[in-house]
Amino acid sequence: MSKIKNDDVSLGRFISLVLRHEPSAAGIVLDAEGWADVDELIHGICNTGRKLDMETLERIVRENNKQRYSFNEDKTKIRANQGHSINVVINMKIMSPPEVLYHGTSEAFIESIKEKGISKMSRQYVHLSEDMDSAVKVGSRHGKPAVLVIDTAKMSADGFVFRISENGVWQSDDIPWKYVTEIKYP
Ligand code: HQG
């Protein structure tokens, strides 16, 4: 695979911001299912002083390390696969999860999580991964990482529903502490 360019990474971050949290940063609006018009997105991003054309956007979508974005079939629309804080409906598949899933967080948040459970905070769902490494990476974004193991089998038995995004990130409603075990990350 070709090496991902620095510019693509920084453009990708901005595209995530626009498609998940703040479409107005590129002067655009999303439809109810989170889709942006591709021409509008490209023009909007160029208007911020950044350089973006269709070829670059296609490369960013194709090579993104977490496959964060999807085009519609004729590539006239684009959206983020998950991670939204704004009120759009992505319609992710409801699926039965593995016996356990992992949530990466910061050690600094543990006391509060013990008290209140794992909360969605500003996003639509709590994000969970199938492997511990991803959880460590996600947690490291917030400081010294802590990994929480979620007893998804018990949650499912208790009626909780789990969704999985197009790019394989599990999504849950708020998780009470009784389903959680902390792994101290060295
Ligand atoms: C924590 C990345 C205090 C929660 C990743 C997390 C992910 C609490 C932080 C995606 C709490 C919210 C999402 C409570 C939860 N008290 N803190 N009661 N409940 N928290 O960024 O999961 O690379 O909104 O543990 O892959 O870190 O951007 O969520 O630490 O899927 O594509 O509050 O972001 O994806 O932080 O990350 P975030 P997250 P991308």
Side-chain angles (χ1 to χ4, degrees), residues 26-51:
I28 64 167
V29 288
L30 309 183
D31 75 11
E33 295 182 327
W35 294 105
D37 181 275
V38 166
D39 288 338
E40 282 180 19
L41 178 74
I42 290 173
H43 284 126
I45 287 182
C46 289
N47 282 341
T48 67
R50 295 170 173 84
K51 275 198 189 134

Side-chain angles (χ1 to χ4, degrees), residues 102-163:
Y102 300 94
H103 176 80
T105 187
S106 159
E107 264 194 16
F109 300 153
I110 293 293
E111 277 314 305
S112 164
I113 291 177
K114 277 185 182 162
E115 216 176 280
K116 299 176 195 147
I118 309 175
S119 146
K120 294 173 241 189
M121 310 302 274
S122 65
R123 304 197 195 239
Q124 289 188 352
Y125 297 104
V126 173
H127 293 189
L128 306 170
S129 63
E130 289 182 20
D131 64 296
M132 218 194 291
D133 282 358
S134 305
V136 171
K137 275 191 201 130
V138 171
S140 304
R141 289 157 54 244
H142 300 287
K144 190 167 188 299
V147 175
L148 303 177
V149 187
I150 316 299
D151 188 345
T152 43
K154 185 146 196 296
M155 285 180 75
S156 298
D158 289 349
F160 284 83
V161 161
F162 296 86
R163 292 175 169 78

